[in-house]
């Protein structure tokens, strides 16, 4: 008998993730909902990542290991999306874990009201600690299209994350959407996808565990000019897609929250990246702030050119 396609495809991009990958995959293997496949996309790892992933594939046919040798997190996830066969997509980062009813709760929520996206809360942990540092909950609620767009660009309750959501796969395939291969790509692609939903449901179940090494994110991430440019570029890229789909006026007011966050972050990010910046902190800060302002005030026809302008050098 021919195997039927799974309901959910779980996509896990990983690069040199041997330290945490096994724990991540075990948390998925222990799910109460079992009609899924797992696509582990190994992006050029030089450690034992491939061996760990293959050990799961050998013992459980739902786990599939894909070897990929270039590109960032966006391209790596796109490889998984192209290979996925499920009706719904879930994304899990290789150093995070999910609770045993994560898929069950999201699937029940999305099916119960025929939604395109289901969103759950998440728990913040620090590495080597079993204690929840903070629980980010969302209420049980149904959002129609325009309300959902406003809420995602506000980035307060649902947040710009691919990983605490279950997505109808056709949102990607029917609308030609792929994940940009850049830093902070979640903000851009979540906005794009929400422009095509009919309904979004949120559940107060905190089923995803987001794990960080420490409370100081700057110690975890080496800030560079490329990262800052990509962060700034989320503004013209998001606005451009909202303009193209006719939802910019709808989203403009809540979108300002993201704009303000980027604007006031630029100087401190330049300080973090000061050793790698050719023009120094002050010049780059003014250039970055100028691009934020330009992105907000430019004509729609100018947004693509603005995106290609490198403000931080």
């Amino acid at each position: 008998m021919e195997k039927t396609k799974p309901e959910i495809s779980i996509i896990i991009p990983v690069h040199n993730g041997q330290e945490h990958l096994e724990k991540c995959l075990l948390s998925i293997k222990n799910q109460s909902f079992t009609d899924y496949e797992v696509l582990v996309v190994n992006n050029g790892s030089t450690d034992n990542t491939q061996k760990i992933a293959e050990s799961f594939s050998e013992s459980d046919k739902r786990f599939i290991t894909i070897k990929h040798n270039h590109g960032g997190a966006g391209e790596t996830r796109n490889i998984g999306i192209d290979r996925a066969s499920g009706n719904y997509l879930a994304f899990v980062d290789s150093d995070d874990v999910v609770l045993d009813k994560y898929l069950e709760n999201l699937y029940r929520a999305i099916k119960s009201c025929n939604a395109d996206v289901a969103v759950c809360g998440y728990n913040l942990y620090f590495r080597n600690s079993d204690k929840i540092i903070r629980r980010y909950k969302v209420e049980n609620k149904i959002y129609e299209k325009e309300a959902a767009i406003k809420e995602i660009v506000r980035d307060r309750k649902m947040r710009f994350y691919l990983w605490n959501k279950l997505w109808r796969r056709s949102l990607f395939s029917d609308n030609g959407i792929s994940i940009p291969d850049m830093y902070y790509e979640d903000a851009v692609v979540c906005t794009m996808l929400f422009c095509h939903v009919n309904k979004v449901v949120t559940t107060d179940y905190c089923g995803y565990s987001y794990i960080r090494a420490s409370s100081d994110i700057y110690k975890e991430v080496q800030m560079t000019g490329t990262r800052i440019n990509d962060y700034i570029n989320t503004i013209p890229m998001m606005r451009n897609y909202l303009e193209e789909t006719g939802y910019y006026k709808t989203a403009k007011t809540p979108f300002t929250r993201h704009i303000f966050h980027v604007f006031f972050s630029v100087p401190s990010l330049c300080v973090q990246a000061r050793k790698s910046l050719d023009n120094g902190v002050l010049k780059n800060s003014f250039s970055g702030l100028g691009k934020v302002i330009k992105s907000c005030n430019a004509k729609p026809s100018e947004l693509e050119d603005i995106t290609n302008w490198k403000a931080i050098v």
Side-chain angles (χ1 to χ4, degrees):
M1 182 180 294
E2 185 179 351
K3 182 183 180 298
T4 58
K5 293 181 179 180
E7 271 294 272
I8 298 175
S9 295
I10 305 165
I11 298 168
I12 305 176
V14 57
H15 173 72
N16 289 342
Q18 65 176 18
E19 187 176 356
H20 310 295
L21 180 61
E22 183 175 5
K23 189 175 181 180
C24 172
L25 296 181
L26 281 173
S27 75
I28 295 172
K29 193 177 181 71
N30 292 331
Q31 289 295 293
S32 57
F33 182 94
T34 59
D35 189 11
Y36 63 79
E37 66 178 358
V38 183
L39 303 165
V40 182
V41 188
N42 176 17
N43 185 17
S45 296
T46 56
D47 61 2
N48 287 324
T49 290
Q50 184 72 13
K51 184 177 180 180
I52 294 169
E54 287 178 347
S55 70
F56 278 82
S57 299
E58 290 167 2
S59 63
D60 190 332
K61 297 306 180 184
R62 295 175 300 175
F63 287 75
I64 302 164
T65 303
I66 302 169
K67 201 167 185 179
H68 184 60
N69 292 319
H70 61 83
E75 181 178 318
T76 305
R77 287 192 179 109
N78 288 331
I79 295 293
I81 294 170
D82 290 342
R83 289 281 299 272
S85 57
N87 294 316
Y88 300 93
L89 301 179
F91 298 89
V92 177
D93 286 351
S94 62
D95 53 352
D96 293 336
V97 297
V98 291
L99 277 64
D100 58 0
K101 294 186 183 299
Y102 174 67
L103 293 178
E104 178 184 333
N105 275 268
L106 286 174
Y107 185 74
R108 185 190 301 124
I110 206 168
K111 294 294 284 188
S112 66
C113 58
N114 193 29
D116 298 298
V117 186
V119 185
C120 73
Y122 64 96
N123 305 307
L124 173 63
Y125 286 82
F126 291 149
R127 188 72 63 206
N128 301 322
S129 171
D130 292 329
K131 295 181 179 179
I132 297 175
I133 304 302
R134 186 171 178 183
R135 193 185 300 274
Y136 293 85
K137 296 190 72 172
V138 292
E139 59 187 327
N140 293 314
K141 189 172 180 179
I142 297 173
Y143 293 81
E144 301 298 330
K145 187 184 189 88
E146 290 198 358
I149 294 172
K150 289 178 182 178
E151 195 57 53
I152 193 64
V153 300
R154 188 177 285 116
D155 189 32
R156 186 170 60 190
K157 294 180 180 178
M158 295 186 192
R159 305 303 300 269
F160 289 138
Y161 298 135
L162 279 165
W163 44 250
N164 68 328
K165 301 171 179 68
L166 185 64
W167 305 86
R168 192 184 296 274
R169 182 182 167 203
S170 58
L171 287 174
F172 290 87
S173 58
D174 289 358
N175 300 295
I177 294 175
S178 59
I179 302 173
D181 201 28
M182 58 185 287
Y183 295 107
Y184 312 105
E185 73 281 3
D186 285 26
V188 178
V189 74
C190 283
T191 300
M192 295 168 70
L193 291 165
F194 269 59
C195 287
H196 299 283
V197 302
N198 290 312
K199 190 183 298 181
V200 175
V201 59
T202 57
T203 171
D204 63 1
Y205 176 70
C206 291
Y208 193 99
S209 294
Y210 171 46
I211 303 174
R212 281 175 34 188
S214 70
S215 59
D216 188 351
I217 193 170
Y218 296 119
K219 290 182 179 179
E220 297 182 58
V221 176
Q222 183 178 0
M223 191 54 58
T224 63
T226 299
R227 281 184 176 272
I228 303 170
N229 276 314
D230 283 355
Y231 188 41
I232 295 170
N233 276 341
T234 61
I235 296 175
M237 291 174 74
M238 291 163 67
R239 185 188 160 197
N240 189 44
Y241 202 83
L242 290 166
E243 295 273 13
E244 287 181 353
T245 52
Y247 292 108
Y248 182 62
K249 289 184 179 179
T250 297
K252 185 174 182 179
T253 298
F255 185 37
T256 55
R257 185 178 188 272
H258 176 63
I259 295 169
F260 285 151
H261 194 272
V262 175
F263 184 87
F264 290 110
S265 296
V266 167
S268 63
L269 295 178
C270 287
V271 171
Q272 292 293 326
R274 60 188 178 278
K275 293 181 180 179
S276 65
L277 300 183
D278 292 339
N279 287 345
V281 171
L282 192 60
K283 285 186 178 180
N284 277 290
S285 294
F286 279 120
S287 179
L289 294 174
K291 182 169 180 176
V292 172
I293 295 170
K294 181 69 173 175
S295 299
C296 298
N297 297 326
K299 297 177 182 178
S301 60
E302 299 173 327
L303 291 171
E304 188 171 343
D305 288 338
I306 291 172
T307 303
N308 295 327
W309 164 37
K310 186 181 290 187
I312 310 297
V313 294

